[in-house]
Amino acid sequence: MDSTKSSDEGSPQHHGPRDTAASGLASTGFLTGRKVLVTGAASGIGRACADGFAAAGAEVYVVDRAGEAAKEVAEAIGGTAVVADLSEAEAVDALPDDADIVVNNAGLQHVAPLHEFPPERFALIQRVMVEAPFRILRRTLPHMYARGWGRVVNISSVHGLRASAYKSAYVTAKHALEGLSKVVALEGAPHGVTSNCISPGYVRTPLVEEQIAQQALVHGIPAADVVDQVFLDRTAIKRLIEPPEVAEAALWLCTERSAYITGTSIPLDGGWTAH
């Protein structure tokens, strides 16, 4: 398991913008005085969120099991590194509980036909991507309630809204995260807390780069064809999403202009779910 990987999709090809979250909302410093906890923050979407939230003025808890990488990110943005394996309940329950904003991002992937899927791998994915967010929110919501303000941003996936073959554990976990997010939205509303999902298609992250060989094997195609034939097959916009684009959406969900948005999922899928 590697909870340093960003939750959902990415690839080595590039055909889109590489602007940073700091170039948009973050440059306003609107989160000065807030604390944000980002899981899987050492790379990919999590790193982009850590960068963007820090640039917006927030104090960032950089949570990741990759200790050196987490420390490097924390040092670069003036945040606090928190080294934790999210598959271990005790480690999750020891995370800081004073965050005003939680970005549940950490995830991992395994690609295999269901009848060949290792049960222990299925259980691991649920612990990291469903149980850990539950435990984190169980501990941080009281702080948000006490302050009368809070934001929960769950980095879900288009696979929280649609299914794909060979991803039984990941699809199950992302659907569960979508449900958890809606419950938090209902319970948190009287306390000034919103909860939403961002559901990207394939994002350029280490998690997806590591999928290419597995996808080639299960689909019976050359590795060179995976991006076009698998990753971009169902999107109308034929490029991958960049991590800063996801981070910008996460930042926007923490603005006052989005304060009436809760209990929903925002697809950043290039038209995938339009089918």
Side-chain angles (χ1 to χ4, degrees), residues 230-249:
V230 179
F231 293 166
L232 301 180
D233 177 56
R234 284 170 283 185
T235 65
I237 299 174
K238 297 300 182 181
R239 72 167 177 85
L240 300 162
I241 309 166
E242 300 299 329
E245 294 180 274
V246 182
E248 190 80 3

Side-chain angles (χ1 to χ4, degrees), residues 16 64 108 127 149 156 167 202 239 259-260:
D64 208 292
L108 65 155
R127 289 201 304 274
W149 190 94
S156 180
K167 293 186 174 183
Y202 286 96
R239 72 167 177 85
Y260 199 68

Side-chain angles (χ1 to χ4, degrees), residues 30-93:
F30 74 101
L31 290 176
T32 299
R34 302 291 189 188
K35 293 183 179 180
V36 56
L37 185 150
V38 183
T39 65
S43 68
I45 295 171
R47 170 65 190 267
C49 286
D51 289 345
F53 278 91
E59 178 183 339
V60 182
Y61 291 120
V62 180
V63 179
D64 208 292
R65 73 187 294 265
E68 290 305 313
K71 292 173 185 176
E72 289 176 6
V73 173
E75 183 176 354
I77 66 173
T80 302
V82 182
V83 182
D85 185 337
L86 300 188
S87 69
E88 299 176 357
E90 296 81 4
V92 179
D93 290 344

Side-chain angles (χ1 to χ4, degrees), residues 76-125:
I77 66 173
T80 302
V82 182
V83 182
D85 185 337
L86 300 188
S87 69
E88 299 176 357
E90 296 81 4
V92 179
D93 290 344
L95 294 177
D97 62 1
D98 61 345
D100 305 296
I101 301 165
V102 169
V103 181
N104 285 310
N105 164 75
L108 65 155
Q109 180 63 276
H110 188 85
V111 179
L114 193 145
H115 65 283
E116 298 175 359
F117 210 99
E120 64 278 5
R121 193 71 173 174
F122 186 96
L124 172 64
I125 289 173

